[in-house]
């Protein structure tokens, strides 16, 4: 399988392609703001297959496809019954006869991989248990809008679980020469193999990977703090155990005072206000860029479609 024909995880895309995608996203955003949307996908369709809940991703992919002149089709996982009613291979082969691309939110990364392998159409990972590449691209766009195109040496500090969002942000930072710091309770770090695969890219592009088991040391040189829920979709049974460990890993006004004065904050959303981030930080729109990032989901994903469906 040629992995560059899909977006299964950011590791599969090189730095140049990532930068180019963000440039396209910024251009497409400007086109919408100027009231001149492109009609490049007239006659094209994408299927949206979501096994997990979503507000931002499912809405922004539909709006984005519509803005580019194409049509999104919502597929119902219950009715399709993967591996119950039908095997993945047959579903992938049939879908590829009708739609031009597939956007998939699922539990197991192996599902997006299998759909890509058997389908013959571009597959976009819209979040799996392991990765969230679309979120990372929208974050990259937000960083470039905030700090300029050369992000080398900027420091992203992720405060929370070493989860899917952390993995994709780490991959983005490694590719664009940024530093990535994870601050989490002991035992909640990213998998060692994820870090090992990113380290050579950090080295090649001049960035650094660091881990702390406290927030104070982690934030001292941060350009941006990144937040996500402590308990990801599918981990609900770990809620009580996780909450007790993660309580000190909250982004609040006291923590922000320990970061440099220019430091910004963002969150992939949805947020559990009062847990991983306080109301006061969420509502401080001088500092919190999460709504810009949410807006950029729309444009970054259109840029992904542009790269893959053309
Ligand atoms: N950040 C994000 O992916 O949001 P949704 O889960 O609402 O799509
Ligand atoms: N880590 C979170 C991200 C939600 C967008 C989850 O997987 O639920």
């Amino acid at each position: 399988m040629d992995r560059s024909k899909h977006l299964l995880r950011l590791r599969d895309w090189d730095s140049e392609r990532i930068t180019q995608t963000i440039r396209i996203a910024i251009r497409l955003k400007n086109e919408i703001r100027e009231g001149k949307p492109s009609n490049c996908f007239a006659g094209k369709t994408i299927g949206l297959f979501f096994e997990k809940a979503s507000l931002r991703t499912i809405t922004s992919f539909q709006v984005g496809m519509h803005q580019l002149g194409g049509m999104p089709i919502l597929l119902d996982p219950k009715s399709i019954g993967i591996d119950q009613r039908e095997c993945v291979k047959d579903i992938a082969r049939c879908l590829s006869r009708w739609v031009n691309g597939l956007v998939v939110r699922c539990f197991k990364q192996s599902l997006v991989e299998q759909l890509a392998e058997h389908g013959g159409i571009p597959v976009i990972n819209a979040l799996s248990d392991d990765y969230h590449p679309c979120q990372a691209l929208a974050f990259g766009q937000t960083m470039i809008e905030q700090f300029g195109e050369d992000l080398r040496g900027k420091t992203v500090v992720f405060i929370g679980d070493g989860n899917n969002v952390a993995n994709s942000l780490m991959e983005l930072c490694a590719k664009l020469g940024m530093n990535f710091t994870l601050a989490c309770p002991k035992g909640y770090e990213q998998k060692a193999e994820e870090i090992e695969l990113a380290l050579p890219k950090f080295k090649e592009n001049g960035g650094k990977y660091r881990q702390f088991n406290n927030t104070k040391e982690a934030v001292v040189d941060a350009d941006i703090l990144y937040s996500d829920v402590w308990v990801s979709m599918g981990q609900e049974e770990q809620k009580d155990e996780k909450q007790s460990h993660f309580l000190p890993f909250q982004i609040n006004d006291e923590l922000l005072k320990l970061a440099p004065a220019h430091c910004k904050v963002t969150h992939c959303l949805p947020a559990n206000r009062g847990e991983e981030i306080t109301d006061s930080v969420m509502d401080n729109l001088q500092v919190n860029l999460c709504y810009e990032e949410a807006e950029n989901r729309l444009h970054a994903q259109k840029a992904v479609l542009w790269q893959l469906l053309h």
Side-chain angles (χ1 to χ4, degrees):
M1 169 171 60
D2 179 352
R3 302 186 68 90
S4 70
K5 291 198 177 343
H6 308 276
L7 178 58
L8 305 176
R9 55 181 194 203
L10 220 44
R11 197 187 304 146
D12 301 332
W13 283 23
D14 62 24
S15 310
E16 200 179 304
R17 192 166 206 212
I18 292 173
T19 307
Q20 191 190 42
T21 305
I22 297 175
R23 280 196 201 122
I24 295 171
I26 293 171
R27 176 167 61 73
L28 292 171
K29 184 174 182 176
N30 288 335
E31 284 180 3
I32 290 295
R33 291 194 165 174
E34 289 159 11
K36 297 185 282 191
S38 160
N39 207 34
C40 60
F41 289 155
K44 295 208 173 182
T45 49
I46 52 167
L48 302 174
F49 180 89
F50 278 53
E51 287 184 339
K52 291 177 176 171
S54 173
L55 167 67
R56 279 145 290 272
T57 314
I58 204 160
T59 309
S60 53
F61 264 110
Q62 290 180 83
V63 173
M65 194 58 184
H66 178 73
Q67 284 183 352
L68 295 174
M71 189 164 79
I73 309 223
L74 282 182
L75 303 166
D76 174 14
K78 276 205 191 101
S79 144
I80 292 171
I82 282 201
D83 280 340
Q84 287 155 3
R85 187 165 184 266
E86 215 168 348
C87 69
V88 181
K89 196 189 267 185
D90 288 342
I91 293 168
R93 285 180 182 165
C94 289
L95 281 171
S96 71
R97 301 293 176 111
W98 307 314
V99 295
N100 302 102
L102 204 50
V103 176
V104 180
R105 170 166 285 197
C106 56
F107 292 90
K108 293 198 166 93
Q109 175 69 15
S110 57
L111 178 59
V112 271
E113 302 274 342
Q114 280 177 275
L115 287 165
E117 196 179 325
H118 298 299
I121 48 170
V123 173
I124 298 169
N125 181 351
L127 182 147
S128 68
D129 288 346
D130 297 335
Y131 305 108
H132 199 358
C134 296
Q135 189 74 50
L137 288 170
F139 171 68
Q141 181 182 349
T142 312
M143 286 291 281
I144 285 180
E145 289 171 349
Q146 186 67 31
F147 295 109
E149 184 154 314
D150 186 1
L151 295 176
R152 283 175 300 176
K154 296 286 175 223
T155 298
V156 179
V157 179
F158 186 94
I159 302 202
D161 191 25
N163 64 14
N164 45 7
V165 174
N167 285 341
S168 290
L169 292 176
M170 175 182 69
E171 290 180 342
L172 179 92
C173 290
K175 292 281 168 81
L176 299 188
M178 288 188 271
N179 305 317
F180 181 84
T181 302
L182 179 81
C184 69
K186 269 204 170 59
Y188 293 97
E189 293 85 2
Q190 292 157 282
K191 285 190 193 136
E193 66 186 79
E194 294 293 336
I195 301 165
E196 273 157 32
L197 286 165
L199 285 179
K201 290 290 160 195
F202 276 109
K203 196 161 178 216
E204 191 179 313
N205 296 310
K208 276 196 219 95
Y209 177 85
R210 288 180 309 171
Q211 269 179 11
F212 292 95
N213 294 126
N214 70 81
T215 52
K216 286 192 182 104
E217 281 177 276
V219 302
V220 287
D221 59 354
D223 292 296
I224 189 152
L225 306 184
Y226 206 106
S227 183
D228 186 9
V229 292
W230 295 332
V231 180
S232 287
M233 292 180 276
Q235 301 181 335
E236 289 75 12
E237 82 290 351
Q238 296 175 31
K239 193 170 176 206
D240 292 341
E241 167 213 315
K242 275 193 146 178
Q243 271 180 331
S244 61
H245 290 112
F246 277 87
L247 278 176
F249 292 82
Q250 182 188 63
I251 300 186
N252 53 37
D253 290 325
E254 289 67 46
L255 186 65
L256 262 185
K257 281 187 201 136
L258 302 177
H262 70 272
C263 181
K264 302 287 182 192
V265 171
T266 189
H267 193 305
C268 59
L269 301 175
N272 285 324
R273 286 166 172 246
E275 293 188 9
E276 74 274 5
I277 191 162
T278 56
D279 270 327
S280 73
V281 177
M282 277 299 286
D283 294 331
N284 181 350
L285 301 185
Q286 304 303 313
V287 163
N288 182 8
L289 303 179
C290 76
Y291 305 108
E292 270 75 29
E293 186 171 326
E295 178 182 348
N296 286 338
R297 296 293 305 279
L298 172 63
H299 307 295
Q301 289 160 190
K302 281 189 294 182
V304 170
L305 293 169
W306 182 283
Q307 294 279 35
L308 296 177
L309 263 63
H310 251 96

